[in-house]
Structures are given as C-alpha cells and as structure tokens.
Amino acid sequence: MTAPTAPRSGPATGRGCPVDLPGPEGDNSIAREPLWYAYGAGDDEPAAPDWTWTPEPPPDAHVPPPPPRGRAARTTLPLGTVDLLARMPFPRVPGPTDPDPVSGGPRSAAGPPAPGGSGVAGGLSAPGRPGAGTRATGREGPGRAGGASVAGGSRSANDTSLSGGSPATYPLGRSADGPQVTDPLGRALVAAFGPQRREPENPYNDHRSYASPRCLFPVHAFVDGGGEEPWRLLEPDLHALTGAPGPGPGRRIALTGRYTAVPSAYKWFRGSLVAIELGIVLRALSIGLELFGQPARLRLPDQDAHAVLDGIGLDPAWEWSLPFVLDVGDPPPAPAAGTAPDPVPSDVARRDPALADLVRVNRSQTYAGDAVPLTTAVPAGLPASQRTPDWAELLWQRHSGRMPRALHGMTGRRRRVPAEALDTALRWLAVPPPGPELAAAFDAVRITVVTQGVDGHEDGVHRAEAGTAGLFRRDAEAPALLEEHYGYGVSPVNGCGIRNAPMTVFLSVRPRELFARLGPAGWGAAQHACGWAVHGLCLSAAASGLFARPVRAFKEIPVQRVLGLDEDETIVLSAVVGVPQDTGGALLDLRL
C-alpha cells in the first residue's frame, strides 16, 4: 500500500475517528500517518496536507541513490562468522562458562572484552563451506564439511582491521596459550547485517537476518575508526567497511536511515519506515553484540546528534535521520558541540514537500537522557528449537513468506501450530528496548493477536500483556476479515496468506498519550520500540518453523473494529505469522 493518488472527492467520512481522510481511500493507513502525528501534537481536527494526493511514480520505478562513500578504500570484514554462529546453540547466549565454539574447550575467564583484530589468529581452522552465492540449498539449511581454513597467520604491520588488534577474551576467547578468535566487533556486524541468501524467485533481493521493505535496507551503519575521516560505511553486500581506516580502534557505531532510499510513492510514511527499521536494526545489532561479547551503550539522538551527523561526512546530511550512536567498550571522547540542522533545499521542498516535512519532524525528535547500556535482546528461558538448533540456522530461517515465479506477497498453509509457537512469540515481544525513553514508549504500546488453530488458545482476538495472552473476543472469522481489509489481496500477481495464518500481531498506540509521556520524541520512540518488538517476533517465528511478515497495509478503520481498538488508537506496525508453503525455489547461501 502506498499513499493515494486519486483526487479528493466528497466530504470526510465521519466515522467517529479523530483522524479522518476525505475521498474514496479514507482508510489508507499510510496517508493517515501525518494526520495521526498532528493529532498527537494537539490538533483536534487535523487536515490532510495538499501533497497527500500528489501523483508519484510507482515504487518499482524507484532507483535507490548510490552508497555515500563511493570509491573510497575498503577493509574486508572477517570471514567464518557463520561457522562460529553454527557452534552457538540457540537459544543460549554465550557466557564465560560456555564451551568455546571453535575448540569445544573452556572459554577464557579474563573478564570483559577488548576490541579485537581481523580474522582468526594463529592458523586456526573452522568448518569450511562451499563458496558463498554458488550453492542452492533446501529448507532444512546448508550442511557443512570440515577442514577449510577461515583465516590464519599473524597480523601484518599494515593490517587495517576493524578493532585494532587485541583479541576478544569473552565470550569467544581462548586460554592464553591457545589461538583466539579476534575482531568480535566485526563479527557482530556481520551477524547483524551480513547477507543471508538470494532467492531467485523473489522480486526483491538480497535478504539479511532482519526484514526490510522491498529489501531496500535504508538504515546504514557507520563505524568510527579514528583519524581525520573517522567514520567508515558498513557495506554488507561487499563484506567490507568503506572509508579511510584511521589509526584508532573502531569503538563507535552510528545507525542512520536515508529517506531518499525509500520510493517517493510512500510520501510522509518514508519517515515512519526508517524509524521502524531503526528499531529493527537496533535489536539485530544488539543480538550480534551480545553473541560476540561486546558490551555497548546506546545514545539516542540528543542536542549533539547534528554534530555526529555532520561528522559522518554525509552530503547532503538532510537526507538522513538523526543517528543512534552505540559506544562499544571504553567511552569515546565527548562529541563536539551541536550544529545547526542541515536545511532541506528549497527546490527539494517544492518538489517533494512530504520529504521536507518528515525531515522537519525527525529533527524535532531529540532526547535529553544519557547513554544507557544495551540490555539483553533475547528472552531468558526459551525452549530449544529442533528447527533452529543454532544461531546460524535461526538467522538463516528467518523470512517474510514467499511466492513462486517472482510473484509478490506471501502464501501459507492452514495448519494447527503448538501452543509453544504463540507462547515464545509473546516472550520475544515482551522484551523491552534499552533505555528509559524507548521503554516508556514500549509501555504505551498495546499488542493484539488474532489467532486460529493455535493449540491451547481459542480462535479469536487476544490482548497480550507481560508475555501472556488473554482472550478479548472469540471470533473464528477474524482472520478472513483481516484479509478482506488488507491492501494487497489475492490477485493474478499477488499472494496473501492472512486468511490461513495462525497468528496476526498488531502493535498500536494512542498518539496523545505518547506526546504526553515523551513530547514530540514519543512518535519516533514508539516506532523504534515496535520495530524492536517485531524483529523479536520474526526470530521467534523462525524458531517455530513459521514465517513472519511485518506489514502496514491494513485498512485502519475496519481493522480497528475487528480488533476492538479505541477510536483514538492507531496501528504502528503489524506482522502476519504463517505456515510456509514450499515454492520449490532455490535459496542461494551468501553467508561468510
């Protein structure tokens, strides 16, 4: 679903909702987004902006902008991360008493990690795999044959690795007289951002461990490497960091989204897509850092965020969201004083007023709190998964549903699923994001689950709270109604598996409550929190042998009624959790 293009006609529909959109597409949830923001900010009768109905090229005509670093020097990321992840049993998060994933022996007890160097030191071997991108694999995941070296030898004097040369001691450390896996920060980045696979039958590629609309991945990571040009761009498709390495260890990561990477047909909603993906990426990166023993602190955009954005060296900076900054290891020097925001050029504002307005809104969403430690992104006490026995397999199995022959959408089978599928999903959804601001927004989110065919739960609408689900209303027809009110129904070119899905999850908020709690930053904080939660749901679905597809294409007002939501409540994000139907298509392994 994109913003409407039909001209305005007729009065507002008068359906009782404080946000209303005139015309035949009044239920378009994407077009209603700026109205909900205005309502949260205090406008009791928000009017649709004139650009709501401005014609835009179709999304498939969009050409993403080139990477911001161009032809700068590149540093290759370490190889063999997938093999290390394959030796980490899921759902355990490695700790100092767990066996070393390489040797099977005890881990080092030397304490918290120091930033590491590149590759695997000392000629260490790990299980080898055929060349990435050359092998089609079935749904059960790729097998691995032993014996190939991941990386070896000592570091050379001109090694420009990510972290500066000190080996990790926890959780991937070894005893002092044995070889050590180094560059844990680089491996955490690979685990979070590295391509997983290519699906030749899918119209959008390549796929990572987290979902992104149309595989656009508008959120980028930059790593501070010290020197005159400290920030390097992470380019997952090239398995490299691009930019001058600098003399110091990489210990800061900036996450920022590029609005112009999203098709203009989404208009103001481009800002929401970036904000949601920032939350998704934050959890994916938190898991990677946690798996490789890298403690970090999160700094949300504050009064110095403009200086950080300028320091990254992006041109133009106005295309990018204010960054999240993660400090890994020792805290870096204090940032420079804030600078004035980079204004949107007047010709861009005239050509794309929706873009100019969403940038204005983003620049108003700053926080006053200090940096906070990253908390665990993985719920405690999860059951083992036969489907995904290790972390490599979990990240491989995560997908958003498939269709054959390059068709769009998703397809799924009707099948009963065990109660554990819902129970573990609720536990993933209940893990709060780090920091008081995001946690406050997370507390304001209501989670509603529509179920059918889930053992131990009646078919109908459930409210989730504190990791459990309570029946709100019995309704065996709710899944069929949801599909009827979905923006991309079954057609000759599109599949839709909502009618057969055992679970469809909705995350909703009251905008006025968000603004009362957090001011203008509450809007973005709720989107970050919902992205964080839904990425957990996606991983939970993978562990249960299901797919999870984050969506925003439901028609809001009729779905409010199906779910029993209040009229002043808007759906931030939803996800269809279904039983995959094998399309017979190849999955090409891209992991390194």
Side-chain angles (χ1 to χ4, degrees), residues 1 403 409-414 450 452 475-491 494-504 506 547 549 551 553-555 558-559 562-563 574 576-578:
M1 176 182 288
M403 287 289 291
M410 57 190 157
T411 184
R413 294 179 288 139
R414 179 76 64 88
V450 174
Q452 65 174 345
D475 188 351
E477 300 301 317
L481 288 173
L482 291 179
E483 181 164 310
E484 179 182 334
H485 299 312
Y486 187 64
Y488 297 108
V490 176
S491 74
N494 198 80
C496 185
I498 298 173
R499 183 183 300 268
N500 294 326
M503 296 176 273
T504 305
F506 295 84
F547 71 82
R549 187 181 191 89
V551 296
F554 284 103
K555 300 174 182 177
V559 169
V562 173
L563 303 180
S574 49
V576 180
V577 181

Side-chain angles (χ1 to χ4, degrees), residues 109-454:
S118 174
V120 180
L124 182 64
S125 293
R129 303 181 305 118
T134 62
R135 174 168 47 82
T137 170
R139 297 297 188 269
E140 297 307 314
R144 295 176 175 84
S149 173
V150 174
S154 60
R155 287 164 45 84
S156 63
N158 60 355
D159 189 337
T160 55
S161 68
L162 174 61
S163 303
S166 301
T169 56
Y170 164 75
L172 292 178
R174 302 289 301 280
S175 60
D177 58 351
Q180 293 176 321
V181 175
T182 55
D183 201 355
L185 178 55
R187 297 190 184 281
L189 291 170
V190 173
F193 293 95
Q196 293 283 312
R197 65 186 172 273
R198 177 168 296 170
E199 302 176 6
E201 284 199 327
N202 197 316
Y204 307 115
N205 279 291
D206 293 331
H207 299 267
R208 300 182 187 175
S209 65
Y210 61 91
S212 182
R214 297 173 173 261
C215 290
L216 289 168
F217 303 108
V219 173
H220 294 258
F222 295 83
V223 179
D224 180 359
E228 295 181 359
E229 190 178 353
W231 294 97
R232 289 180 284 170
L233 170 67
L234 174 65
E235 294 199 78
D237 293 341
L238 298 177
H239 199 71
L241 290 164
T242 299
R251 56 183 183 175
R252 304 186 81 195
I253 302 169
L255 302 175
T256 175
R258 194 176 196 176
Y259 298 119
T260 53
V262 184
S264 60
Y266 291 97
K267 296 184 180 176
W268 203 84
F269 188 62
R270 287 170 284 183
S272 300
L273 287 175
V274 165
I276 290 168
E277 187 160 313
L278 275 167
I280 292 172
V281 167
L282 178 62
R283 193 165 196 177
L285 181 55
S286 295
I287 291 173
L289 293 169
E290 197 168 356
L291 290 176
F292 287 93
Q294 296 292 280
R297 298 176 68 84
L298 169 67
R299 184 179 298 277
L300 295 174
D302 57 14
Q303 62 179 357
D304 298 317
H306 299 290
V308 175
L309 199 59
D310 291 341
I312 293 173
L314 300 172
D315 186 17
W318 63 262
E319 290 186 357
W320 299 80
S321 66
L322 293 180
F324 287 8
V325 176
L326 289 88
D327 299 327
V328 182
D330 295 333
T339 59
D342 185 14
V344 178
S346 57
D347 62 321
V348 174
R350 287 192 300 271
R351 184 174 67 252
D352 195 341
L355 177 61
D357 193 61
L358 70 88
V359 171
R360 173 191 64 83
V361 168
N362 172 257
R363 298 314 194 248
S364 72
Q365 296 180 16
T366 57
Y367 303 82
D370 296 327
V372 296
L374 286 187
T375 50
T376 181
V378 181
L382 290 172
S385 168
Q386 292 184 343
R387 180 71 174 180
T388 59
D390 56 67
W391 280 95
E393 196 65 22
L394 178 77
L395 302 182
W396 169 268
Q397 292 289 349
R398 187 221 62 82
H399 69 96
S400 300
R402 300 184 173 102
M403 287 289 291
R405 302 185 304 279
L407 298 175
H408 293 256
M410 57 190 157
T411 184
R413 294 179 288 139
R414 179 76 64 88
R415 191 189 76 189
R416 292 198 68 84
V417 299
E420 185 178 282
L422 176 56
D423 296 342
T424 56
L426 294 171
R427 291 168 70 179
W428 279 91
L429 286 165
V431 176
E437 297 93 348
L438 296 185
F442 181 78
D443 287 342
V445 175
R446 174 150 66 176
I447 299 176
T448 304
V449 187
V450 174
T451 66
Q452 65 174 345
V454 179

